[in-house]
Amino acid sequence: IGRERRRAAPAKYPTTVTLNEAFEGTSRVLQQPGGRRLEVKIPPGVDNGSKVRISAGSGQREDIFLVISVQPQPRIQRQGRDLYTEVEVSLEDAILGGETTVMTLRGKVALTIPPETQNGQRFRLAGQGMPALNDPKLRGDLYATTNVRLPTGLTPEQVELFQRLRESRSRDARDARDARDAR
């Protein structure tokens, strides 16, 4: 009867990467007992709990796994392959339309803000999310949520313009109400 060689349970090494490293891919040097050093490539798209297998070399009785943890990043949150961020928009751009810059993991991109954009409105930037683990060309999306910044330190002229806007909108609302009541 032949003897089967039993493999030991795989060794697991917890490894932390940043969101940018998870986006781009990275490598780590693993120091093993006995002084053996292994450079391990961590592919783009890894997420919390992803396992990177390192094949046991000849003569080794166990496989090795890096168990990945991705550090949270304060300005971009991840949900699967999609990313979420906030973008500050001036009141003037929210009302009249304009353009702002969104920071992505690839760099800056321009975002067109249409007129009458509401606070909390979400815009989808297709293909700006995380790469798929086994297909880095396939990417999720980035969702940018507007955070309209209200002006402070207004001049008397600017305050007067806002008062005129309020009066104009009140007049328009009153006229619309009167027109409905007249029907």
Side-chain angles (χ1 to χ4, degrees), residues 141-154:
D141 299 325
L142 173 70
Y143 293 90
T145 303
T146 59
N147 182 4
V148 178
R149 182 179 10 93
L150 299 178
T152 58
L154 296 174

Side-chain angles (χ1 to χ4, degrees), residues 46-183:
V46 292
D47 202 351
N48 286 315
S50 292
K51 292 178 183 166
V52 178
R53 182 179 177 269
I54 306 162
S55 180
S58 61
Q60 298 290 323
R61 294 181 51 208
E62 64 184 34
D63 284 335
I64 301 167
F65 288 92
L66 295 184
V67 181
I68 305 297
S69 293
V70 180
Q71 290 176 333
Q73 198 210 57
R75 66 177 178 83
I76 296 178
Q77 288 73 46
R78 178 181 184 177
Q79 290 181 13
R81 286 197 334 254
D82 292 331
L83 299 173
Y84 296 83
T85 191
E86 285 191 1
V87 61
E88 206 167 88
V89 177
S90 70
L91 178 63
E92 299 84 3
D93 286 345
I95 292 171
L96 303 172
E99 192 173 276
T100 192
T101 302
V102 179
M103 288 301 299
T104 73
L105 293 177
R106 287 181 170 169
K108 297 176 183 179
V109 296
L111 174 63
T112 300
I113 303 296
E116 299 182 10
T117 293
Q118 298 297 305
N119 190 44
Q121 191 167 334
R122 185 177 282 172
F123 294 92
R124 178 176 162 251
L125 287 80
Q128 294 293 328
M130 294 296 290
L133 183 56
N134 296 318
D135 186 1
K137 292 178 185 160
L138 182 61
R139 294 189 181 273
D141 299 325
L142 173 70
Y143 293 90
T145 303
T146 59
N147 182 4
V148 178
R149 182 179 10 93
L150 299 178
T152 58
L154 296 174
T155 66
E157 179 186 9
Q158 292 167 331
V159 170
E160 182 185 334
L161 289 171
F162 275 107
Q163 287 172 338
R164 287 179 34 210
L165 175 63
R166 178 194 295 165
E167 291 165 6
S168 171
R169 292 185 52 81
S170 293
R171 198 172 33 254
D172 290 347
R174 196 173 40 251
D175 292 347
R177 205 174 33 250
D178 291 346
R180 262 195 325 269
D181 292 345
R183 289 185 219 168

Side-chain angles (χ1 to χ4, degrees), residues 18-52:
T18 65
L19 186 60
N20 289 67
E21 289 174 324
F23 182 82
E24 295 287 337
T26 190
S27 62
R28 291 289 190 269
V29 175
L30 182 63
Q31 184 77 37
Q32 289 191 288
R36 184 172 173 218
R37 293 169 52 105
L38 294 173
E39 183 172 349
V40 181
K41 293 200 182 304
I42 299 172
V46 292
D47 202 351
N48 286 315
S50 292
K51 292 178 183 166
V52 178

